[in-house]
Amino acid sequence: MKFVRLAAAAGAGVIALGLVSCSSTGGKPAGSGEGSGGGGSVDTPRMTVAMITHEVPGDSFWDLIRKGAEAAAKKDNIELRYSNDPEAPNQANLVQSAIDSGVDGIAVTLAKPDAMAPAVKAAEAKGIPVVAFNSGFDNFKSMGVQEYFGQDEKLAGIAAGEKLNADGAKKIVCVIQEQGQVALESRCAGVKEGFKGESEILNVNSKDMPSVEATITAKLQQDPTVDHVVALGAPIALTAVQSLGNAGSQAKIVTFDTNAALVDAIKGGKVQWAVDQQPYLQGYLAIDALWLYKNNKNLIGGGQATLTGPSFIDQGNIDAVADLAKAGTR
């Protein structure tokens, strides 16, 4: 499987984690109760962790992150404080507020690393462990962040580009819903590298979905030779479905990331496939890693990123994950 090959190329951190924290018998970290695999809870002292993301309100992708984080927090006797702001300076301020409140650990996305770096350094100066997830694969080490959970976005993009080649695509538009967001920029850069045809970037504003629909519609009307639209999130993909109808376009839609609504779109052929990075797992690992570090000084990944993707979901395997996706855990 492509996911296995990609993960092996960059390190098998998830496998290592499974041996440490998912076994319900033997080898339990100090202070553990019934073990995480059996759904028990620990008997370690209560700790407080702040999870701070660049979530755009209304994007259901982040519901999956939060569900994973909440599951780990419940197991680990953690008070989870979730906050978000899509504007990097505001997100950095949320990190500083968490530091000032005396949290025991911080899990943060690094969508715009330069803006986040001072706040991350302030946490580290206070001795507060910081892990990153979802965004910041290329930057977490240089920022002194000790662990990262997510996918190599450029590698995922290259894999998507190669799959587009196999699908017979000739001309694509890669839709970036937040200009300057490093993970999204890396995805489109990877797609361009892996794809043999003609590619173009289309910037839209995900805070205004009607404008997203209008912008994609206009692009497809203006250039009917576009045969594939590459979305970087499920809500953008579903909006692009509407744009295809508006424009009378025969282009096909593929996407990164999933949500419950995307299941039916893939089943019905409205979206061809999705690149899955397992957001539930990212949220879970980020919180569980902080508990492991605080209680047993464990560091997952051996200094490397712990990969949670990419893998592909299409009509051939959608049934295997459909119920989980609709339940909000995939």
Side-chain angles (χ1 to χ4, degrees):
M1 293 177 62
K2 184 174 286 292
F3 170 66
V4 174
R5 293 199 303 270
L6 293 172
V14 173
I15 296 173
L17 175 75
L19 297 174
V20 172
S21 68
C22 291
S23 173
S24 59
T25 59
K28 295 181 236 178
S32 64
E34 294 300 314
S36 58
S41 59
V42 302
D43 57 7
T44 49
R46 185 81 163 165
M47 59 183 283
T48 302
V49 169
M51 173 172 270
I52 303 162
T53 77
H54 62 281
E55 172 188 351
V56 175
D59 187 343
S60 57
F61 173 85
W62 297 97
D63 296 340
L64 305 178
I65 294 275
R66 289 187 69 171
K67 283 191 176 184
E70 288 163 358
K74 181 178 180 180
K75 175 185 69 69
D76 292 338
N77 192 26
I78 288 173
E79 177 189 344
L80 179 66
R81 298 178 182 174
Y82 181 93
S83 60
N84 61 284
D85 199 298
E87 301 298 330
N90 296 338
Q91 188 191 6
N93 288 338
L94 291 173
V95 174
Q96 187 60 56
S97 295
I99 296 168
D100 295 340
S101 71
V103 297
D104 298 296
I106 295 174
V108 65
T109 59
L110 302 173
K112 296 181 179 175
D114 290 344
M116 297 300 296
V120 169
K121 290 186 182 301
E124 293 163 351
K126 289 284 189 179
I128 300 173
V130 178
V131 301
F133 66 99
N134 181 261
S135 297
F137 173 86
D138 294 317
N139 307 89
F140 82 97
K141 285 186 184 180
S142 63
M143 295 173 68
V145 175
Q146 58 189 32
E147 298 169 87
Y148 178 83
F149 306 98
Q151 68 182 0
D152 179 334
E153 300 290 3
K154 188 171 183 182
L155 190 67
I158 291 171
E162 292 172 346
K163 188 166 178 61
L164 286 163
N165 294 332
D167 291 346
K170 302 300 181 185
K171 187 172 185 179
I172 66 171
V173 171
C174 192
V175 182
I176 295 180
Q177 68 263 31
E178 185 182 348
Q179 195 168 0
Q181 210 265 61
V182 293
L184 303 181
E185 303 278 357
S186 292
R187 287 179 183 179
C188 280
V191 169
K192 182 176 181 179
E193 183 173 328
F195 182 55
K196 295 179 180 178
E198 185 179 348
S199 64
E200 181 180 342
I201 289 175
L202 181 67
N203 288 298
V204 298
N205 179 9
S206 62
K207 298 174 189 175
D208 184 355
M209 293 305 285
S211 76
V212 173
E213 182 180 342
T215 301
I216 297 174
T217 298
K219 178 59 184 176
L220 293 174
Q221 288 174 332
Q222 175 244 326
D223 189 355
T225 64
V226 172
D227 54 38
H228 282 74
V229 175
V230 181
L232 303 185
I236 304 300
L238 295 169
T239 299
V241 170
Q242 300 173 27
S243 296
L244 289 188
N246 296 342
S249 172
Q250 298 301 308
K252 295 180 179 180
I253 299 168
V254 301
T255 189
F256 287 71
D257 299 338
T258 63
N259 64 14
L262 197 71
V263 171
D264 291 333
I266 291 177
K267 282 186 173 183
K270 293 180 179 179
V271 175
Q272 304 303 302
W273 45 261
V275 182
D276 182 27
Q277 62 174 308
Q278 301 187 94
Y280 179 95
L281 184 61
Q282 292 175 11
Y284 186 96
L285 294 180
I287 300 305
D288 206 37
L290 287 166
W291 180 84
L292 284 165
Y293 180 75
K294 291 289 289 187
N295 287 282
N296 211 48
K297 291 296 182 286
N298 295 123
L299 289 172
I300 302 167
Q304 304 300 313
T306 300
L307 299 186
T308 63
S311 60
F312 290 99
I313 295 176
D314 56 23
Q315 286 187 329
N317 61 10
I318 187 65
D319 287 340
V321 298
D323 289 343
L324 294 172
K326 289 192 173 183
T329 59
R330 279 289 301 210

